[in-house]
Amino acid sequence: MENVFDLFKERGLIAQATDEASIRELLGKEKITFYTGFDPTADSLHVGHFMQLIIMRYMQQAGHRPIVLLGGGTTMVGDPTGKTDMRKMLTQEQIQHNADEFKKQMSKFIDFSEGKAIMANNADWLLGLNYVDFLREIGVHFSVNKMLTAECVKTRMEKGITFLEFNYMLLQSYDFLHLAREYGCKMQFGGNDQWSNIIGGVELNRRCDNRDVYGMTFTLLTTREGKKMGKTEKGAVWLDPEKTSPYEFFQYWRNIDDCEVQNCLKLLTGVPVKEIDAIDMGNASDVNKAKELLAYELTSLVHSKEDAEKAIATAKRLFSGEMDAEHMPATVVDATLVADGKASVLDLLVAAGLAPSKGEARRLVQQGGISVDGEKVTDVSAAVNAEALGKGIVIKKGKKVYHRITL
């Protein structure tokens, strides 16, 4: 069987590794236990988690055992990585609810049947720690000078980082030590923004137990501007169909920039690399087919093949002018938007998440990018009467985005 490390390399998944040669040898000669951590800060996974789920799936298919580590304890602290401000503090009950939802969604990617995978929660060992004992056993191995050079800390120094968050690296490193002792865990995986925290765990295992463990980070999904993928004007692209419908999920991938499609096919799907490299990026028809393939594959994986088929059919009907209100994204707006029997088109655009602000909504109308029930809107003061809203209207934004709005 192919070494899964080579598959990661071929598909361009690996960003950094503590020791590539040793990791490749290890993954080729034995079936290892590895872990990836997920802090349940919301009640659904989103596209930002997607890459790690794909990696764990590949690893499990190659015979390795994943530990999905839910951060019931670390979420009480909050990872400063990539954040300009401190995370919102959640209660233990909220964190537990979110963790339960994560497990349901992860079961589509990972086989949790007997012996195949482990679901652990670091609340089990972090929340009962004795602080002074922890400092003496673990804190003594960390240099503050070195921690200050970590990217996740440096980016917060201007605004200020709390001592609470400064502890996060110690806690994540301790997780690795605990999992190595408890389950024989030999590797930690994460997004490339987790590199400093992963290195901390590798070094802590060596210093405390003289144990060789390894870390590997994977490419973050980013746009050509360098921003993390998975955001729309309505917010995050969720894996929960109640938060992001299968059609909206399909359309997110169908509408990514041309320059991102080959990379996303390599990183997120099982489509052979030769087929992906053979896409003629100068041919609009080929690019569109590639985007549709990407959207279909990912919607099938996250939701179902039936949902993916429905999304393709809906998109084709919409773009051919046949309105299919049943399957397109829909928003029920609040009756408070109606004044004197009418609701402003600008207010409706914002309420449906088609524009982030009234200013942006005004710009869309002025540029001729908005139609209501097939009629182009050019007047920024245009309104829809309450009776029509009650039955439901369809707003078209640009050439591809359709949205049904009702009262």
Side-chain angles (χ1 to χ4, degrees), residues 335-344 347-348 381-387 389:
T336 55
L337 287 184
V338 178
D340 298 326
K342 292 182 177 181
S344 155
D347 287 339
L348 293 174
S381 61
V384 177
N385 68 53
E387 187 183 347
L389 264 183

Side-chain angles (χ1 to χ4, degrees), residues 83-100:
K83 298 283 175 286
T84 53
D85 294 299
M86 195 169 128
R87 285 184 187 271
K88 179 186 165 192
M89 301 287 270
L90 300 175
T91 65
Q92 276 183 255
E93 292 72 26
Q94 287 171 316
I95 292 167
Q96 186 56 53
H97 169 72
N98 294 348
D100 292 342

Side-chain angles (χ1 to χ4, degrees), residues 292-311:
E292 194 168 280
L293 175 63
L294 173 70
Y296 179 84
E297 291 285 326
L298 298 186
T299 307
S300 297
L301 180 61
V302 172
H303 298 292
S304 69
K305 287 200 170 179
E306 185 187 2
D307 285 322
E309 298 283 1
K310 272 187 192 170

Side-chain angles (χ1 to χ4, degrees), residues 342-361:
K342 292 182 177 181
S344 155
V345 169
L346 300 186
D347 287 339
L348 293 174
L349 288 170
V350 174
L354 294 169
S357 65
K358 281 185 84 166
E360 179 62 18

